[in-house]
Amino acid sequence: FDRVIAERTGPNFRGRGLRVLARSGLRWFASFVVGRHVPDVNSGFRIFKKEDCLKYFGFLSPGFSFTTGLTLAMISDARAVAFAPTDYRKRVGQSKVRLFRDSLRMAQILVQVIVRHNPIKLFLMLAGVVWAFALLMLAVWAFVDLTALVIVAAVGFLVGVQVFSLGLLAEAIRGWRKL
């Protein structure tokens, strides 16, 4: 493997309340971004070769989020990344992770990885949201006879096409950059 990551397991890792929800959402979105199940995106227990890591220094955020970005970038590049289940014991001391601040950092990392490695996925998702809004406007128009709703729906479809076209352009640039 190019990288092995400890997948933390056990009752001490699950947490409570908002942390469980945030961790589940992050795990789902990270898996969506890279197209593969990522069971523990923030684990600090990792093994990798220094030379593999150095290739990513130019575009990954330094600091707290570097190892997470490195994991996602390597998976996106189809590198051999494995997760090994590891029992997580009760923490001694206080965590330095701050839910809101670090969740925003994580969102930034995920967007950076998706834009660099699979931009069409991001733009298609954004276009899908716009198209869903346009369809909702058409559905409302069926019950409320307001011409403005049809205009809003038409503009929504056109904006969705433009967003999707930007995704195609970003995908073409990504492909060109690899040559």
Side-chain angles (χ1 to χ4, degrees):
F1 293 103
D2 296 312
R3 185 176 181 96
V4 178
I5 302 163
E7 173 190 345
R8 297 170 290 176
T9 61
N12 291 318
F13 178 63
R14 288 190 194 101
R16 285 179 259 119
L18 195 54
R19 285 193 186 272
V20 172
L21 186 62
R23 190 175 288 131
S24 296
L26 173 63
R27 188 173 39 249
W28 176 85
F29 193 58
S31 297
F32 169 76
V33 165
V34 298
R36 173 185 158 189
H37 178 64
V38 179
D40 190 355
V41 72
N42 283 334
S43 174
F45 307 116
R46 303 154 189 270
I47 299 171
F48 54 91
K49 295 178 191 159
K50 179 180 175 182
E51 58 269 14
D52 287 341
C53 176
L54 292 175
K55 296 174 188 175
Y56 294 93
F57 262 56
F59 63 89
L60 290 177
S61 301
F64 166 78
S65 57
F66 178 77
T67 55
T68 300
L70 181 60
T71 297
L72 298 175
M74 289 182 82
I75 292 172
S76 295
D77 285 344
R79 303 292 299 271
V81 176
F83 291 88
T86 305
D87 188 37
Y88 185 78
R89 291 183 172 67
K90 188 164 178 61
R91 173 185 290 276
V92 176
Q94 293 286 72
S95 171
K96 292 182 179 76
V97 174
R98 298 293 169 249
L99 188 62
F100 182 73
R101 180 196 66 196
D102 294 331
S103 294
L104 289 178
R105 281 188 194 166
M106 206 51 56
Q108 174 192 353
I109 294 163
L110 291 167
V111 169
Q112 283 176 326
V113 169
I114 200 169
V115 166
R116 182 171 180 82
H117 295 280
N118 196 353
I120 193 69
K121 190 179 272 190
L122 175 66
F123 286 96
L124 184 57
M125 185 174 60
L126 293 173
V129 168
V130 173
W131 286 330
F133 176 75
L135 285 173
L136 177 66
M137 291 299 103
L138 284 178
V140 170
W141 176 68
F143 299 104
V144 180
D145 191 22
L146 285 174
T147 307
L149 291 176
V150 175
I151 294 169
V152 169
V155 169
F157 280 115
L158 292 175
V159 168
V161 168
Q162 288 178 325
V163 169
F164 180 69
S165 298
L166 285 173
L168 291 175
L169 182 62
E171 190 68 29
I173 290 169
R174 182 182 71 89
W176 174 74
R177 201 176 61 217
K178 283 187 170 186
L179 294 177

